[in-house]
Amino acid sequence: MERPHNQYIRPLLTDLYQITMCYAYWKNGHHMDHAVFDAFFRKCPFKGEYTVFAGLSEVIEFLENFRFNQEEVNYIRTLIPHAESEFFDWLLSIDASQLKVYAIPEGTLVFPRINLLRIEGPLAIAQLCETTMLVLCNYASLITTNAARFRKAAGKDKVMLEFGLRRAQGPDGAMTASKYSYLGGFDSTSNALAGMIYGIPVSGTHAHSYIASYVDYSDFRDRLIDGQDILQLALDYRRESGFTTNDGELTAFASYAKAFPNAFLALVDTYDTLGSGIPNFLCVALALYKIGHKPVGIRLDSGDLAYLSIQARAMFKKTSEKFNVPFEDLKIVASNDINETVIHSLNDQKHQIDVFGVGTNLVTCQSQPALGMVYKLVEIREHPRIKLSNEKDKITIPCKKNAFRLFGESGEAICDVLMMSDEAEPQVGTRMLVRHPFDERKRMFVVPSKVEKLHKLIWDGRLVEKIPSLSEGRERLQMQIEAMRNDITRAINPTPYKISLSSNLYDYLQDLWNREVPIQEFR
Ligand SMILES: Nc1ncnc2c1ncn2[C@@H]1O[C@H](COP(=O)(O)OP(=O)(O)OP(=O)(O)O)[C@@H](O)[C@H]1O
Ligand SMILES: O=P(O)(O)OC[C@H]1O[C@H](OP(=O)(O)OP(=O)(O)O)[C@H](O)[C@@H]1O
Ligand SMILES: O=C(O)c1cccnc1
Ligand SMILES: [Mg+2]
Protein backbone atom coordinates (compact mmCIF):
# COMPACT_ATOMS: atom_id res chain seq x y z
CA MET A 1 0.00 0.00 0.00
CA GLU A 2 1.23 3.48 -0.80
CA ARG A 3 2.18 5.41 2.29
CA PRO A 4 -0.26 8.24 3.02
CA HIS A 5 1.10 11.71 3.28
CA ASN A 6 0.19 13.56 6.44
CA GLN A 7 0.39 17.28 5.73
CA TYR A 8 1.85 18.02 9.16
CA ILE A 9 4.86 15.77 8.73
CA ARG A 10 7.36 18.34 7.47
CA PRO A 11 10.45 20.07 8.86
CA LEU A 12 8.55 23.18 9.97
CA LEU A 13 6.69 20.99 12.48
CA THR A 14 9.39 21.82 14.99
CA ASP A 15 10.21 24.03 17.93
CA LEU A 16 11.53 27.47 17.10
CA TYR A 17 14.71 26.77 19.04
CA GLN A 18 15.77 24.14 16.51
CA ILE A 19 15.69 26.84 13.84
CA THR A 20 17.48 29.43 15.97
CA MET A 21 20.20 26.88 16.89
CA CYS A 22 20.46 26.02 13.25
CA TYR A 23 21.15 29.65 12.42
CA ALA A 24 23.77 29.88 15.16
CA TYR A 25 25.47 26.69 13.86
CA TRP A 26 25.42 28.19 10.38
CA LYS A 27 26.62 31.61 11.48
CA ASN A 28 29.58 30.00 13.26
CA GLY A 29 30.42 27.64 10.45
CA HIS A 30 29.45 24.46 12.32
CA HIS A 31 26.31 23.53 10.45
CA MET A 32 28.01 20.84 8.36
CA ASP A 33 30.05 19.31 11.21
CA HIS A 34 29.50 15.58 11.50
CA ALA A 35 27.16 14.80 14.41
CA VAL A 36 25.55 11.74 15.96
CA PHE A 37 22.29 11.94 17.91
CA ASP A 38 20.43 9.22 19.82
CA ALA A 39 16.69 9.00 20.47
CA PHE A 40 15.83 7.04 23.61
CA PHE A 41 13.58 7.13 26.67
CA ARG A 42 14.42 6.79 30.33
CA LYS A 43 11.42 5.08 31.86
CA CYS A 44 8.81 2.65 30.58
CA PRO A 45 5.19 3.85 30.72
CA PHE A 46 2.21 2.51 32.68
CA LYS A 47 4.39 1.40 35.63
CA GLY A 48 5.64 -1.27 33.29
CA GLU A 49 9.09 -2.56 32.37
CA TYR A 50 8.67 -2.75 28.61
CA THR A 51 7.81 -0.41 25.77
CA VAL A 52 7.02 -1.09 22.13
CA PHE A 53 8.85 1.07 19.62
CA ALA A 54 6.67 2.61 16.90
CA GLY A 55 6.41 5.58 14.59
CA LEU A 56 9.11 4.59 12.13
CA SER A 57 6.95 4.72 9.03
CA GLU A 58 6.19 8.37 9.77
CA VAL A 59 9.88 9.05 10.44
CA ILE A 60 10.61 7.76 6.95
CA GLU A 61 7.83 9.86 5.50
CA PHE A 62 9.37 12.84 7.28
CA LEU A 63 12.83 12.12 5.86
CA GLU A 64 11.44 11.61 2.38
CA ASN A 65 9.70 14.98 2.53
CA PHE A 66 12.45 16.84 4.34
CA ARG A 67 12.55 20.10 2.41
CA PHE A 68 11.52 23.61 3.30
CA ASN A 69 9.50 25.33 0.59
CA GLN A 70 9.70 29.01 -0.28
CA GLU A 71 6.60 29.88 1.74
CA GLU A 72 8.01 28.22 4.84
CA VAL A 73 11.39 29.90 4.45
CA ASN A 74 9.66 33.27 3.99
CA TYR A 75 7.83 32.59 7.23
CA ILE A 76 11.02 31.59 9.08
CA ARG A 77 12.54 34.87 7.88
CA THR A 78 9.80 36.72 9.81
CA LEU A 79 10.78 34.80 12.97
CA ILE A 80 14.48 35.68 12.75
CA PRO A 81 14.50 38.84 10.62
CA HIS A 82 18.08 39.80 11.55
CA ALA A 83 19.49 36.57 10.07
CA GLU A 84 21.66 36.82 6.97
CA SER A 85 19.90 36.12 3.75
CA GLU A 86 22.39 33.37 2.72
CA PHE A 87 21.10 31.34 5.66
CA PHE A 88 17.65 31.26 4.09
CA ASP A 89 19.14 30.19 0.77
CA TRP A 90 20.87 27.37 2.63
CA LEU A 91 17.61 26.38 4.37
CA LEU A 92 15.96 26.16 0.96
CA SER A 93 18.71 23.87 -0.30
CA ILE A 94 18.78 21.24 2.45
CA ASP A 95 17.21 17.79 2.48
CA ALA A 96 17.83 14.45 4.21
CA SER A 97 20.22 13.12 1.57
CA GLN A 98 23.23 13.53 3.86
CA LEU A 99 21.65 11.80 6.83
CA LYS A 100 22.03 8.22 7.98
CA VAL A 101 19.42 6.77 10.30
CA TYR A 102 19.84 3.51 12.17
CA ALA A 103 16.65 2.25 13.77
CA ILE A 104 15.23 -0.59 15.80
CA PRO A 105 12.36 -2.15 13.81
CA GLU A 106 8.85 -0.96 14.60
CA GLY A 107 7.02 -3.31 16.93
CA THR A 108 10.17 -4.34 18.85
CA LEU A 109 10.12 -4.55 22.65
CA VAL A 110 12.50 -1.87 23.84
CA PHE A 111 13.89 -0.73 27.16
CA PRO A 112 15.19 2.43 28.83
CA ARG A 113 18.41 4.03 27.54
CA ILE A 114 18.66 1.86 24.44
CA ASN A 115 18.94 4.19 21.47
CA LEU A 116 15.92 3.51 19.30
CA LEU A 117 17.18 5.76 16.55
CA ARG A 118 20.74 6.85 15.78
CA ILE A 119 20.89 9.83 13.47
CA GLU A 120 24.17 10.76 11.81
CA GLY A 121 24.94 13.64 9.49
CA PRO A 122 25.47 17.40 9.30
CA LEU A 123 24.92 18.90 12.75
CA ALA A 124 22.31 21.49 11.77
CA ILE A 125 20.24 19.05 9.70
CA ALA A 126 20.32 16.30 12.33
CA GLN A 127 19.43 18.92 14.94
CA LEU A 128 16.42 19.96 12.88
CA CYS A 129 15.08 16.39 13.09
CA GLU A 130 14.79 16.37 16.89
CA THR A 131 11.30 17.62 17.61
CA THR A 132 9.62 16.11 14.58
CA MET A 133 11.12 12.67 15.14
CA LEU A 134 10.15 12.79 18.81
CA VAL A 135 6.56 13.81 18.13
CA LEU A 136 6.34 11.03 15.55
CA CYS A 137 7.68 8.32 17.86
CA ASN A 138 6.57 9.31 21.37
CA TYR A 139 2.81 8.93 21.09
CA ALA A 140 3.04 6.13 18.52
CA SER A 141 5.21 4.10 20.91
CA LEU A 142 3.03 4.99 23.90
CA ILE A 143 -0.25 3.94 22.28
CA THR A 144 1.31 0.77 20.84
CA THR A 145 2.54 -0.14 24.30
CA ASN A 146 -0.85 0.61 25.80
CA ALA A 147 -2.61 -1.53 23.21
CA ALA A 148 -0.13 -4.36 23.82
CA ARG A 149 -0.87 -4.18 27.54
CA PHE A 150 -4.64 -4.31 26.94
CA ARG A 151 -4.12 -7.27 24.61
CA LYS A 152 -1.97 -9.05 27.18
CA ALA A 153 -4.54 -8.42 29.92
CA ALA A 154 -7.41 -9.78 27.82
CA GLY A 155 -5.54 -12.82 26.50
CA LYS A 156 -4.82 -13.86 22.95
CA ASP A 157 -8.17 -15.62 22.39
CA LYS A 158 -10.18 -12.41 22.87
CA VAL A 159 -11.13 -10.01 20.11
CA MET A 160 -10.08 -6.42 20.78
CA LEU A 161 -11.87 -3.53 19.06
CA GLU A 162 -10.58 0.03 19.17
CA PHE A 163 -13.47 2.51 19.61
CA GLY A 164 -11.48 5.64 20.47
CA LEU A 165 -12.02 8.05 17.59
CA ARG A 166 -14.62 10.28 19.26
CA ARG A 167 -12.57 10.66 22.46
CA ALA A 168 -9.11 10.94 20.95
CA GLN A 169 -6.80 13.93 21.14
CA GLY A 170 -7.86 15.54 17.89
CA PRO A 171 -8.10 13.98 14.44
CA ASP A 172 -4.37 13.41 14.12
CA GLY A 173 -4.20 11.74 17.54
CA ALA A 174 -7.16 9.58 16.55
CA MET A 175 -5.53 8.41 13.31
CA THR A 176 -2.28 7.59 15.11
CA ALA A 177 -4.20 5.79 17.85
CA SER A 178 -6.11 3.62 15.39
CA LYS A 179 -3.01 2.73 13.40
CA TYR A 180 -0.83 1.88 16.37
CA SER A 181 -3.51 0.15 18.44
CA TYR A 182 -3.54 -2.34 15.59
CA LEU A 183 0.25 -2.70 15.74
CA GLY A 184 -0.06 -3.23 19.51
CA GLY A 185 -2.42 -6.16 19.03
CA PHE A 186 -5.96 -4.84 18.58
CA ASP A 187 -7.92 -6.63 15.86
CA SER A 188 -9.72 -3.69 14.33
CA THR A 189 -10.78 -0.08 14.61
CA SER A 190 -14.14 1.64 14.35
CA ASN A 191 -12.33 4.49 12.51
CA ALA A 192 -13.32 4.18 8.85
CA LEU A 193 -10.70 6.64 7.59
CA ALA A 194 -7.93 4.75 9.37
CA GLY A 195 -9.26 1.58 7.76
CA MET A 196 -9.05 3.11 4.32
CA ILE A 197 -5.70 4.82 4.73
CA TYR A 198 -3.80 2.21 6.73
CA GLY A 199 -5.53 -0.89 5.39
CA ILE A 200 -6.45 -2.11 8.87
CA PRO A 201 -9.68 -4.05 9.56
CA VAL A 202 -12.71 -1.96 10.49
CA SER A 203 -15.63 -3.20 12.56
CA GLY A 204 -18.40 -2.08 14.87
CA THR A 205 -21.89 -2.54 16.24
CA HIS A 206 -24.56 0.15 16.68
CA ALA A 207 -25.44 2.86 19.19
CA HIS A 208 -28.29 3.55 21.61
CA SER A 209 -29.71 6.10 19.17
CA TYR A 210 -30.65 3.31 16.79
CA ILE A 211 -32.63 1.51 19.49
CA ALA A 212 -34.22 4.73 20.74
CA SER A 213 -35.26 5.69 17.20
CA TYR A 214 -37.95 2.95 17.22
CA VAL A 215 -40.98 3.81 19.35
CA ASP A 216 -43.25 0.90 18.49
CA TYR A 217 -44.04 -1.79 15.88
CA SER A 218 -45.51 0.72 13.44
CA ASP A 219 -42.03 2.18 12.83
CA PHE A 220 -41.01 -1.05 11.06
CA ARG A 221 -43.09 -1.50 7.93
CA ASP A 222 -41.50 -3.88 5.47
CA ARG A 223 -40.80 -6.72 7.91
CA LEU A 224 -39.95 -9.56 5.55
CA ILE A 225 -36.59 -11.29 5.48
CA ASP A 226 -36.47 -13.99 2.78
CA GLY A 227 -40.27 -13.73 2.63
CA GLN A 228 -40.86 -14.20 6.36
CA ASP A 229 -42.08 -11.60 8.89
CA ILE A 230 -39.14 -11.25 11.29
CA LEU A 231 -41.08 -9.14 13.79
CA GLN A 232 -44.06 -11.48 13.91
CA LEU A 233 -41.78 -14.47 14.44
CA ALA A 234 -39.94 -12.62 17.21
CA LEU A 235 -43.26 -11.69 18.87
CA ASP A 236 -44.30 -15.35 18.72
CA TYR A 237 -41.10 -16.36 20.51
CA ARG A 238 -41.64 -13.61 23.06
CA ARG A 239 -45.15 -14.89 23.83
CA GLU A 240 -43.91 -18.49 24.05
CA SER A 241 -41.13 -17.47 26.45
CA GLY A 242 -43.35 -15.31 28.62
CA PHE A 243 -41.03 -12.26 28.42
CA THR A 244 -42.31 -8.73 29.04
CA THR A 245 -39.96 -6.46 27.15
CA ASN A 246 -39.75 -3.03 25.55
CA ASP A 247 -41.62 -2.99 22.21
CA GLY A 248 -39.51 -0.26 20.60
CA GLU A 249 -36.33 -2.17 21.42
CA LEU A 250 -37.72 -5.41 19.98
CA THR A 251 -38.73 -3.55 16.83
CA ALA A 252 -35.31 -1.89 16.55
CA PHE A 253 -33.56 -5.26 16.84
CA ALA A 254 -35.85 -6.83 14.23
CA SER A 255 -35.27 -3.97 11.81
CA TYR A 256 -31.51 -4.18 12.33
CA ALA A 257 -31.62 -7.90 11.67
CA LYS A 258 -33.38 -7.14 8.39
CA ALA A 259 -30.56 -4.81 7.39
CA PHE A 260 -27.81 -7.20 8.55
CA PRO A 261 -29.27 -10.73 8.52
CA ASN A 262 -25.83 -12.34 8.64
CA ALA A 263 -24.24 -9.91 11.09
CA PHE A 264 -26.91 -9.36 13.70
CA LEU A 265 -25.38 -8.09 16.93
CA ALA A 266 -27.58 -6.08 19.32
CA LEU A 267 -26.78 -3.42 21.91
CA VAL A 268 -28.83 -4.66 24.85
CA ASP A 269 -28.51 -2.10 27.64
CA THR A 270 -30.78 0.72 26.48
CA TYR A 271 -33.69 -0.03 28.85
CA ASP A 272 -32.94 -3.05 31.03
CA THR A 273 -30.19 -5.46 30.06
CA LEU A 274 -31.48 -8.63 31.72
CA GLY A 275 -35.19 -7.76 31.73
CA SER A 276 -35.55 -6.49 28.17
CA GLY A 277 -32.39 -6.24 26.06
CA ILE A 278 -31.17 -9.84 26.19
CA PRO A 279 -34.71 -11.36 25.99
CA ASN A 280 -35.49 -9.15 22.99
CA PHE A 281 -32.22 -10.12 21.38
CA LEU A 282 -32.99 -13.81 21.89
CA CYS A 283 -36.47 -13.47 20.37
CA VAL A 284 -35.10 -11.78 17.24
CA ALA A 285 -32.15 -14.21 17.15
CA LEU A 286 -34.53 -17.21 17.24
CA ALA A 287 -36.66 -15.66 14.51
CA LEU A 288 -33.61 -14.95 12.37
CA TYR A 289 -32.27 -18.46 12.92
CA LYS A 290 -35.60 -19.92 11.88
CA ILE A 291 -35.41 -17.92 8.67
CA GLY A 292 -31.95 -19.38 8.07
CA HIS A 293 -29.41 -16.85 9.37
CA LYS A 294 -27.09 -17.29 12.33
CA PRO A 295 -27.14 -14.31 14.74
CA VAL A 296 -23.81 -12.98 16.02
CA GLY A 297 -24.36 -11.72 19.58
CA ILE A 298 -24.84 -8.80 21.93
CA ARG A 299 -23.00 -5.74 23.22
CA LEU A 300 -23.08 -4.77 26.90
CA ASP A 301 -22.29 -1.09 27.46
CA SER A 302 -23.07 -0.44 31.12
CA GLY A 303 -23.49 -2.10 34.47
CA ASP A 304 -21.46 -4.93 35.97
CA LEU A 305 -19.87 -6.36 32.86
CA ALA A 306 -18.71 -9.59 34.53
CA TYR A 307 -22.06 -10.36 36.10
CA LEU A 308 -24.05 -9.41 33.01
CA SER A 309 -21.80 -11.45 30.71
CA ILE A 310 -22.19 -14.50 32.96
CA GLN A 311 -25.96 -14.04 33.07
CA ALA A 312 -26.10 -13.53 29.31
CA ARG A 313 -24.13 -16.73 28.69
CA ALA A 314 -26.51 -18.61 30.99
CA MET A 315 -29.51 -17.24 29.07
CA PHE A 316 -27.90 -18.23 25.75
CA LYS A 317 -27.38 -21.74 27.12
CA LYS A 318 -30.95 -22.02 28.36
CA THR A 319 -32.30 -20.87 25.00
CA SER A 320 -30.04 -23.32 23.15
CA GLU A 321 -31.42 -26.17 25.21
CA LYS A 322 -35.06 -25.09 25.11
CA PHE A 323 -35.21 -24.40 21.38
CA ASN A 324 -32.46 -26.73 20.25
CA VAL A 325 -30.43 -23.96 18.60
CA PRO A 326 -26.63 -23.39 18.63
CA PHE A 327 -26.71 -20.18 20.71
CA GLU A 328 -24.30 -21.06 23.52
CA ASP A 329 -21.32 -19.53 21.79
CA LEU A 330 -22.98 -16.32 20.63
CA LYS A 331 -20.54 -13.45 21.05
CA ILE A 332 -20.62 -11.12 24.03
CA VAL A 333 -19.04 -7.75 23.35
CA ALA A 334 -18.36 -5.49 26.34
CA SER A 335 -17.59 -1.78 26.32
CA ASN A 336 -17.87 1.26 28.61
CA ASP A 337 -14.81 2.87 30.16
CA ILE A 338 -12.77 -0.29 30.07
CA ASN A 339 -9.15 0.01 31.13
CA GLU A 340 -6.34 -2.46 31.79
CA THR A 341 -7.21 -2.78 35.48
CA VAL A 342 -10.88 -3.40 34.69
CA ILE A 343 -9.86 -6.22 32.33
CA HIS A 344 -7.72 -7.85 35.04
CA SER A 345 -10.61 -7.50 37.47
CA LEU A 346 -13.08 -8.99 34.98
CA ASN A 347 -10.68 -11.92 34.52
CA ASP A 348 -10.70 -12.51 38.28
CA GLN A 349 -14.50 -12.58 38.16
CA LYS A 350 -14.48 -15.21 35.39
CA HIS A 351 -16.31 -13.04 32.90
CA GLN A 352 -17.87 -14.50 29.76
CA ILE A 353 -16.86 -11.67 27.43
CA ASP A 354 -15.53 -12.62 23.98
CA VAL A 355 -14.86 -9.16 22.59
CA PHE A 356 -13.66 -5.98 24.28
CA GLY A 357 -14.49 -2.60 22.75
CA VAL A 358 -12.13 0.01 24.17
CA GLY A 359 -12.09 3.72 23.45
CA THR A 360 -11.21 6.50 25.87
CA ASN A 361 -8.68 4.78 28.13
CA LEU A 362 -6.85 3.23 25.23
CA VAL A 363 -6.41 6.23 22.96
CA THR A 364 -5.88 8.86 25.64
CA CYS A 365 -3.44 6.56 27.47
CA GLN A 366 -5.29 7.68 30.58
CA SER A 367 -2.88 6.15 33.09
CA GLN A 368 0.15 7.87 31.48
CA PRO A 369 -0.43 10.40 28.76
CA ALA A 370 3.13 10.81 27.47
CA LEU A 371 6.30 8.84 26.84
CA GLY A 372 9.45 10.81 27.55
CA MET A 373 11.52 9.93 24.52
CA VAL A 374 14.44 12.37 24.13
CA TYR A 375 17.03 13.17 21.45
CA LYS A 376 20.58 13.82 22.56
CA LEU A 377 23.90 14.65 20.94
CA VAL A 378 26.33 11.78 21.60
CA GLU A 379 29.19 12.64 19.24
CA ILE A 380 30.41 15.73 17.39
CA ARG A 381 33.38 15.89 14.99
CA GLU A 382 34.21 12.38 16.29
CA HIS A 383 34.34 13.60 19.91
CA PRO A 384 31.94 11.63 22.14
CA ARG A 385 29.67 13.92 24.15
CA ILE A 386 27.93 13.44 27.48
CA LYS A 387 25.13 15.31 29.22
CA LEU A 388 25.47 15.10 32.99
CA SER A 389 22.77 15.55 35.57
CA ASN A 390 22.30 15.23 39.31
CA GLU A 391 19.83 12.51 38.51
CA LYS A 392 21.70 9.48 37.23
CA ASP A 393 18.76 8.55 35.05
CA LYS A 394 19.23 11.73 33.07
CA ILE A 395 22.89 11.21 32.21
CA THR A 396 23.29 10.45 28.52
CA ILE A 397 25.51 7.62 27.40
CA PRO A 398 28.15 9.05 25.05
CA CYS A 399 29.52 7.73 21.74
CA LYS A 400 28.21 6.35 18.52
CA LYS A 401 26.74 3.10 19.81
CA ASN A 402 25.31 -0.18 18.66
CA ALA A 403 22.83 -2.19 20.72
CA PHE A 404 22.56 -5.95 20.98
CA ARG A 405 20.06 -8.27 22.64
CA LEU A 406 21.72 -11.28 24.23
CA PHE A 407 19.72 -14.48 24.65
CA GLY A 408 20.42 -17.36 27.03
CA GLU A 409 20.20 -21.13 26.63
CA SER A 410 16.48 -21.12 27.47
CA GLY A 411 15.81 -18.85 24.49
CA GLU A 412 14.86 -15.95 26.77
CA ALA A 413 16.52 -12.56 26.46
CA ILE A 414 19.09 -11.96 29.24
CA CYS A 415 19.92 -8.32 28.65
CA ASP A 416 20.50 -5.59 26.08
CA VAL A 417 24.02 -4.28 25.80
CA LEU A 418 25.17 -0.96 24.38
CA MET A 419 28.63 -0.97 22.79
CA MET A 420 30.85 1.56 21.06
CA SER A 421 30.38 1.24 17.32
CA ASP A 422 34.00 0.25 16.70
CA GLU A 423 33.96 -2.62 19.22
CA ALA A 424 33.80 -6.23 18.05
CA GLU A 425 30.21 -7.49 18.20
CA PRO A 426 29.21 -10.01 20.89
CA GLN A 427 29.75 -13.61 19.75
CA VAL A 428 27.56 -16.62 20.40
CA GLY A 429 29.28 -18.87 22.96
CA THR A 430 31.86 -16.26 23.94
CA ARG A 431 31.78 -14.91 27.47
CA MET A 432 31.51 -11.15 27.77
CA LEU A 433 31.53 -8.82 30.74
CA VAL A 434 28.65 -6.39 30.84
CA ARG A 435 28.09 -3.61 33.35
CA HIS A 436 25.26 -1.60 34.82
CA PRO A 437 25.57 1.89 33.30
CA PHE A 438 26.01 3.68 36.63
CA ASP A 439 26.35 1.17 39.45
CA GLU A 440 29.91 -0.09 39.50
CA ARG A 441 29.06 -3.05 41.71
CA LYS A 442 26.55 -4.43 39.23
CA ARG A 443 28.25 -6.44 36.51
CA MET A 444 27.91 -9.90 35.05
CA PHE A 445 29.36 -12.32 32.55
CA VAL A 446 27.08 -13.38 29.74
CA VAL A 447 27.66 -16.27 27.37
CA PRO A 448 24.99 -15.65 24.74
CA SER A 449 23.34 -18.50 22.86
CA LYS A 450 21.95 -16.00 20.39
CA VAL A 451 22.84 -12.40 19.60
CA GLU A 452 20.44 -10.00 17.92
CA LYS A 453 21.80 -6.76 16.53
CA LEU A 454 19.00 -4.32 17.29
CA HIS A 455 19.73 -1.54 14.81
CA LYS A 456 19.34 -1.56 11.06
CA LEU A 457 20.53 1.14 8.72
CA ILE A 458 17.16 2.19 7.32
CA TRP A 459 18.05 5.52 5.77
CA ASP A 460 21.27 6.33 3.93
CA GLY A 461 20.30 9.48 2.11
CA ARG A 462 17.28 7.46 0.98
CA LEU A 463 15.30 4.50 2.20
CA VAL A 464 17.62 1.47 2.11
CA GLU A 465 15.67 -1.14 4.06
CA LYS A 466 12.30 -2.73 3.46
CA ILE A 467 10.05 -1.59 6.29
CA PRO A 468 7.79 -4.38 7.60
CA SER A 469 4.04 -3.84 7.19
CA LEU A 470 1.84 -3.07 10.18
CA SER A 471 0.56 -6.66 10.22
CA GLU A 472 4.09 -8.06 10.12
CA GLY A 473 5.10 -5.79 13.01
CA ARG A 474 1.94 -6.79 14.88
CA GLU A 475 2.73 -10.50 14.60
CA ARG A 476 6.36 -10.00 15.50
CA LEU A 477 5.38 -8.06 18.60
CA GLN A 478 3.07 -10.79 19.89
CA MET A 479 5.84 -13.36 19.39
CA GLN A 480 8.26 -11.20 21.33
CA ILE A 481 5.83 -10.65 24.20
CA GLU A 482 5.28 -14.39 24.43
CA ALA A 483 9.01 -15.07 24.38
CA MET A 484 9.83 -12.43 27.01
CA ARG A 485 10.02 -13.47 30.66
CA ASN A 486 6.64 -13.00 32.29
CA ASP A 487 8.13 -11.30 35.35
CA ILE A 488 9.18 -8.49 33.00
CA THR A 489 5.86 -8.17 31.16
CA ARG A 490 3.47 -8.79 34.04
CA ALA A 491 1.09 -5.97 34.99
CA ILE A 492 1.82 -5.62 38.69
CA ASN A 493 5.31 -4.83 40.02
CA PRO A 494 7.24 -6.20 37.06
CA THR A 495 10.98 -6.86 37.24
CA PRO A 496 13.21 -4.45 35.29
CA TYR A 497 14.93 -5.89 32.23
CA LYS A 498 18.71 -5.56 32.35
CA ILE A 499 20.28 -2.82 30.28
CA SER A 500 24.03 -2.86 30.29
CA LEU A 501 27.14 -1.38 28.78
CA SER A 502 30.16 -3.18 27.42
CA SER A 503 33.16 -2.84 29.66
CA ASN A 504 34.83 -0.48 27.18
CA LEU A 505 31.84 1.81 26.98
CA TYR A 506 31.49 1.79 30.75
CA ASP A 507 35.12 2.83 31.19
CA TYR A 508 34.78 5.49 28.52
CA LEU A 509 31.66 6.90 30.20
CA GLN A 510 33.44 7.13 33.57
CA ASP A 511 36.44 8.71 31.96
CA LEU A 512 34.46 11.34 30.09
CA TRP A 513 32.43 12.06 33.19
CA ASN A 514 35.62 12.73 35.15
CA ARG A 515 37.02 14.86 32.36
CA GLU A 516 33.92 16.99 31.82
CA VAL A 517 33.06 17.80 35.41
CA PRO A 518 35.44 20.34 36.90
CA ILE A 519 36.62 19.49 40.43
CA GLN A 520 35.35 22.12 42.81
CA GLU A 521 37.77 23.61 45.26
CA PHE A 522 36.64 24.41 48.80
CA ARG A 523 38.52 26.55 51.31
N1 LIG B 1 -17.50 -6.47 37.03
C1 LIG B 1 -16.74 -5.39 36.95
N2 LIG B 1 -15.59 -5.34 37.62
C2 LIG B 1 -14.81 -4.26 37.57
N3 LIG B 1 -15.10 -3.17 36.85
C3 LIG B 1 -16.22 -3.17 36.14
C4 LIG B 1 -17.09 -4.27 36.15
N4 LIG B 1 -18.13 -3.97 35.35
C5 LIG B 1 -17.94 -2.74 34.87
N5 LIG B 1 -16.78 -2.25 35.32
C6 LIG B 1 -16.18 -0.94 35.06
O1 LIG B 1 -16.72 -0.07 36.02
C7 LIG B 1 -16.98 1.22 35.48
C8 LIG B 1 -18.47 1.49 35.56
O2 LIG B 1 -18.69 2.80 35.23
P1 LIG B 1 -20.07 3.51 35.45
O3 LIG B 1 -20.57 3.23 36.81
O4 LIG B 1 -19.90 4.92 35.00
O5 LIG B 1 -20.91 2.75 34.37
P2 LIG B 1 -22.43 2.49 34.33
O6 LIG B 1 -23.16 3.39 35.24
O7 LIG B 1 -22.60 1.05 34.49
O8 LIG B 1 -22.68 2.84 32.80
P3 LIG B 1 -23.12 4.19 32.12
O9 LIG B 1 -22.78 5.30 33.05
O10 LIG B 1 -22.32 4.21 30.83
O11 LIG B 1 -24.58 3.98 31.89
C9 LIG B 1 -16.46 1.18 34.06
O12 LIG B 1 -15.11 1.62 34.04
C10 LIG B 1 -16.53 -0.30 33.72
O13 LIG B 1 -15.63 -0.69 32.70
O1 LIG C 1 -16.20 3.84 26.91
P1 LIG C 1 -15.10 3.83 25.90
O2 LIG C 1 -13.98 2.91 26.26
O3 LIG C 1 -14.65 5.20 25.52
O4 LIG C 1 -15.71 3.12 24.57
C1 LIG C 1 -16.44 3.75 23.61
C2 LIG C 1 -17.76 4.22 24.13
O5 LIG C 1 -18.28 5.04 23.14
C3 LIG C 1 -19.64 4.77 23.01
O6 LIG C 1 -20.32 5.50 23.97
P2 LIG C 1 -21.07 6.83 23.65
O7 LIG C 1 -20.20 7.86 23.06
O8 LIG C 1 -22.28 6.49 22.88
O9 LIG C 1 -21.47 7.29 25.09
P3 LIG C 1 -21.93 6.47 26.34
O10 LIG C 1 -20.71 6.42 27.21
O11 LIG C 1 -23.03 7.28 26.91
O12 LIG C 1 -22.38 5.13 25.89
C4 LIG C 1 -19.73 3.30 23.30
O13 LIG C 1 -21.03 2.95 23.63
C5 LIG C 1 -18.76 3.09 24.39
O14 LIG C 1 -19.35 3.20 25.66
O1 LIG D 1 -19.15 0.09 16.90
C1 LIG D 1 -19.33 0.35 18.10
O2 LIG D 1 -19.99 -0.39 18.84
C2 LIG D 1 -18.76 1.61 18.67
C3 LIG D 1 -18.03 2.46 17.91
C4 LIG D 1 -17.51 3.60 18.48
C5 LIG D 1 -17.72 3.86 19.80
N1 LIG D 1 -18.43 3.02 20.53
C6 LIG D 1 -18.94 1.90 20.00
MG1 LIG E 1 -20.05 4.74 28.11
Side-chain angles (χ1 to χ4, degrees), residues 75-92:
Y75 175 70
I76 295 171
R77 199 188 281 266
T78 67
L79 301 176
I80 41 173
H82 77 287
E84 289 171 34
S85 115
E86 288 77 11
F87 172 66
F88 300 107
D89 296 339
W90 179 77
L91 270 189
L92 267 177

Side-chain angles (χ1 to χ4, degrees), residues 378-508:
V378 293
E379 193 182 282
I380 184 74
R381 299 178 291 276
E382 304 201 346
H383 298 294
R385 306 308 295 141
I386 192 168
K387 153 90 182 57
L388 292 167
S389 166
N390 287 336
E391 280 177 64
K392 277 189 178 166
D393 268 359
K394 291 205 162 176
I395 294 169
T396 62
I397 297 170
C399 302
K400 180 166 147 184
K401 299 176 292 294
N402 289 325
F404 300 89
R405 188 155 294 170
L406 308 183
F407 294 82
E409 280 170 356
S410 67
E412 285 170 338
I414 298 173
C415 66
D416 283 8
V417 58
L418 286 166
M419 305 181 73
M420 293 155 90
S421 62
D422 53 7
E423 283 188 76
E425 297 187 0
Q427 296 299 316
V428 168
T430 303
R431 191 172 83 156
M432 85 178 277
L433 175 65
V434 301
R435 315 208 39 164
H436 186 285
F438 307 117
D439 186 340
E440 67 173 325
R441 287 157 308 167
K442 290 192 175 167
R443 61 233 156 99
M444 62 178 179
F445 287 117
V446 182
V447 183
S449 300
K450 188 178 114 188
V451 176
E452 191 180 315
K453 188 171 184 173
L454 291 174
H455 293 123
K456 284 203 168 110
L457 175 64
I458 57 154
W459 181 268
D460 188 0
R462 64 191 168 81
L463 189 61
V464 291
E465 175 74 22
K466 184 180 170 292
I467 300 299
S469 69
L470 264 187
S471 318
E472 286 164 346
R474 182 174 182 274
E475 268 172 44
R476 213 172 136 258
L477 171 61
Q478 292 310 320
M479 273 159 35
Q480 287 175 72
I481 291 178
E482 268 182 44
M484 184 52 73
R485 273 166 36 200
N486 192 50
D487 56 335
I488 288 161
T489 57
R490 74 177 169 225
I492 311 283
N493 295 333
T495 309
Y497 179 73
K498 289 190 181 64
I499 300 301
S500 44
L501 307 187
S502 67
S503 209
N504 280 345
L505 182 56
Y506 178 85
D507 291 344
Y508 196 89

